[in-house]
Amino acid sequence: MDLDSQEQILKLSELHGPSQLTVIIGAPDPEAAEITAETVVRGDPSYAGALAGAQLGLDVYHVLDESISSDVPSDVWEAQIGVMADVLEADALVAAVAGMREPPSEPS
Amino acid sequence: MAELKKDPVVVAATQVLAHVPGMARHGSKPSRELPRDPAVEAEFLGSLRSFDEAVAYPPHQAFVGAIHPRALPARPWTDTPPGQASRWAPGGEVMPEEEFLGLLASVDTAGLLTLGADLAERALGALGDHPLAKHFALGQLERATGDVEAAADGVAACPIHVGAGPMEASLRAGDDVDQSLTGAVLLENLAAKATATLALLHLLDKEQIDPASVDYVIGCGEEAVGDRYQRGGGNLAKAVAEAAGLSEASGMDVKDFCAAPIPALVVAASLVKAGVFRRVAVVAGGSLAKLGMKFQGHLRNRLPVLEDVLGGAAALVEGDDGASPTLRLDAVGRHRVAAGGSAPQIMESLAMEPLVRLGLTTTDIDDFATELHNPEITEPQGSGNVPERNYKTLAALAARRGDISRDEIASFVESRGMPGFAPTQGHLASGLCYLPHALDRLKSGDATRSMIIAKGSLFLGRMSQLSDGMSVVLERNRQ
C-alpha cells in the first residue's frame, strides 16, 4: 500500500477510532488485495509506511464482496467497476481479504 | 511534397540497459531506507546481482531486443542460470557498471565526475574495446581521473561505488547551495543522459544513419534537469544530441510523467508530416531515482535487488520510406479531462476511441503494449501484475463491444497481450519498451497493427487529481 494512503488511514483511525472505520479495497489481484488488507489489519509488512507496527485491526472488504457491491447504486457501479467485474476473479479477491479479517492462525 | 500527405514512419528503435548495482543505493527508496538501518543496508548490498546474472535475466534479454516478450520462459525468471545469454543484441546491449562509469565521464561536459585511477584504467580499457568506441570522448576519462576521497569531501558530493565494493568515484555538486544541482541530483541527470546517448549511438550505428542528417531530438525521459530558478528547465535532448555527435540537430523535452514517450513520438511525427523537420529522433534515458524502489519486497521474498538497471531508448521518425511501419496520426488516443479516471474509462478513451474513429475493432490490433512493468519486480511489493490488469480491462471492453465472446477473454489476453518485461522506470514500461519488437513484427509481416498505450500518474505532482495517457497505432507499411 502506498505511503500516502497509509498516512491517511492512520490519521482517520486516530480521529474517529479504528472501530468506526471500514476499508474497501479495489486491488485487482488477490496478492495485492491480501497485502493491502494485511497492512490495515496487522500493520505494513514492508515496514516502510505509517502503518508499520500499527495493528489497527480495521474492518476490511474487497469492493467485489457482495456485502459492499450490493450497497452501490447501479449507475455508479457500471461507470466505475462494471467492466472490471467481468474479468476479475471475485471469489479469490473476496477470499484473500476475508482471510485477513480472521485472527492469524499462528501466534506472531 | 507528395510524401507529406502520408503519415510518417518509425524507421528504427533501439534499447539498452546499464547494469548499475552500485548506484542502486542512490535510488530514492534505498537512499532513504539504507542509512536508517545498517542491517538493512548490509542485506541490500549482499543481495545485488552480478553482471552475468543481470545479462542472463530473461526480461533484460527481451528489453534489449534479443527475444520477443511472448517468448519469455516460465517464471521465476530469477532462477535463470548465468552464462547462456550475451550482453549484445542487434542494436542493443547490457553495459556493465564500470564501463558505464567511464561512459558517464565521457558525457560529463561539466567535469564534475572524479574517477579513481584504477577504475579509470579499467573503464578506459573496456570502452576502448567497445564497438562504438570511436563515438565516446575517451579523453574525458583521463581528465576525470583524480583523488576520489577529496572529491567526495566536497559539499553535497555523491559517492559512487561499483557493486558492493568500496567507493571508486564521486560526483561533485554543480553548486554549493543549489538543491537542484547536488551531486545526487546531477548523478540522476548524467545517468539519464548517458543511457539515452548510448541507445541513440546504437541506433545510428545499426541503421548506418549520418548523425548530421538528424534535424531534431525530442527527450521523453523522467529527469527534468534544471537549476533552482527552473527545476524542470529541460532539454536533456539537446545534451544527448551533442553527446551523440548530431551536429545539425537541436532538441527539446516533452514532459508527461511516464506517458511522455508517446506524446514525444506523436510530436515527432507531426513535425515531420508538417514539413518542419525531415528526421527526428526520440530519446529517453534511465531513471536512477527508481532503482531499488521495491527492494523491501524483494528482500522479504529472498530475491535479489531486481531494480538494478537503467534503461535507455531511442527511435527515429521520418517521412514515409515505403517500408518502415507507419505511425497513424489519425489514430492518436488521448485521455480527455472529462473522460473519467477509472481503469475502464481510461482504457476506453485510450484504446477504444481511436479504433472507433478508424472503423476498426480490437481484433484488428495484433499486439497491444501497455505499462509493461516486469511483474516479478512489482508483485513482491504488493503492486500486482500491472500489464495483466491492463489486458484484462482491454479484453473486458472488447467483450462488451462484441469484438470477442466472453469465452475468448483469456485467449485475447494471451495472444494480443504479453508479459511485462520492462524495468519499473515508468516511461520505458509505458509502451516505449515494445517499440523495437513492434517494428520487427510489422516489418516482417508477422503483425499488421500494434497499439502502444502509455499512462502517466499526473496526480503525483499534486497539481491535479488526474492521470494522463496517450496511445498510437503503428501499421505495416502498405507499399
Side-chain angles (χ1 to χ4, degrees), chain A residues 1 3-4 28-29 31-32 35-36 45-48 78-84 86-89, chain B residues 29 32 36 296 300 342-345 379-382 384-385 389 392-393 396-397 400 406 409 462:
Chain A
M1 179 188 277
L3 305 185
D4 284 347
D29 40 80
E31 297 77 16
I35 292 179
T36 309
S46 71
Y47 285 89
E78 190 52 34
Q80 299 293 327
I81 293 169
V83 172
M84 296 312 293
D86 290 353
V87 282
L88 296 180
E89 293 164 24
Chain B
K29 188 78 180 175
R32 285 174 282 138
R36 288 181 4 188
Q296 289 149 315
R300 196 167 55 241
S342 73
Q345 288 168 327
E379 284 175 350
Q381 188 69 345
N385 188 328
R389 191 184 304 168
K392 281 184 176 171
T393 309
L397 289 169
R400 287 218 164 180
R406 288 190 54 84
I409 283 178
R462 305 295 194 272

Side-chain angles (χ1 to χ4, degrees), chain B residues 209-225:
Chain B
I209 302 282
D210 173 11
S213 71
V214 180
D215 300 315
Y216 209 62
V217 180
I218 302 180
C220 54
E222 301 190 8
E223 307 312 332
V225 180

Side-chain angles (χ1 to χ4, degrees), chain B residues 106-149:
Chain B
S106 148
V107 300
D108 172 27
T109 46
L112 296 170
L113 182 66
T114 303
L115 302 178
D118 189 56
L119 170 64
E121 195 181 322
R122 280 155 30 221
L124 192 59
L127 282 180
D129 291 336
H130 194 282
L132 300 171
K134 66 177 182 214
H135 302 290
F136 302 144
L138 295 179
Q140 293 271 113
L141 272 71
E142 270 178 62
R143 280 194 286 281
T145 307
D147 185 343
V148 172
E149 297 283 344

Side-chain angles (χ1 to χ4, degrees), chain B residues 368-443:
Chain B
F368 287 94
T370 172
E371 292 190 294
L372 290 165
H373 290 284
N374 174 353
E376 203 162 70
I377 295 176
T378 56
E379 284 175 350
Q381 188 69 345
S383 311
N385 188 328
V386 181
E388 188 177 87
R389 191 184 304 168
N390 277 299
Y391 289 126
K392 281 184 176 171
T393 309
L394 258 173
L397 289 169
R400 287 218 164 180
R401 282 163 46 104
D403 297 349
I404 57 171
S405 70
R406 288 190 54 84
D407 297 343
E408 292 170 310
I409 283 178
S411 65
F412 180 96
V413 169
E414 196 171 327
S415 64
R416 296 175 200 278
M418 63 196 76
F421 61 97
T424 47
Q425 294 158 35
H427 64 304
L428 301 171
S430 222
L432 190 61
C433 62
Y434 189 64
L435 195 51
H437 298 291
L439 298 185
D440 283 348
R441 277 169 54 79
L442 294 170
K443 283 179 184 173

Side-chain angles (χ1 to χ4, degrees), chain A residues 17-97:
Chain A
S19 64
Q20 296 302 305
L21 294 182
T22 296
V23 180
I24 300 173
I25 293 172
D29 40 80
E31 297 77 16
E34 187 172 23
I35 292 179
T36 309
E38 183 180 3
T39 306
V40 299
V41 175
R42 297 175 194 165
D44 179 4
S46 71
Y47 285 89
L51 297 182
Q55 296 188 14
L56 297 181
L58 299 181
D59 200 20
V60 62
Y61 294 87
H62 196 277
V63 72
L64 294 183
D65 199 315
E66 210 174 316
S67 60
I68 302 295
S69 57
S70 58
D71 281 347
V72 180
S74 58
D75 56 327
V76 174
W77 183 266
E78 190 52 34
Q80 299 293 327
I81 293 169
V83 172
M84 296 312 293
D86 290 353
V87 282
L88 296 180
E89 293 164 24
D91 292 346
L93 289 163
V94 169
V97 175

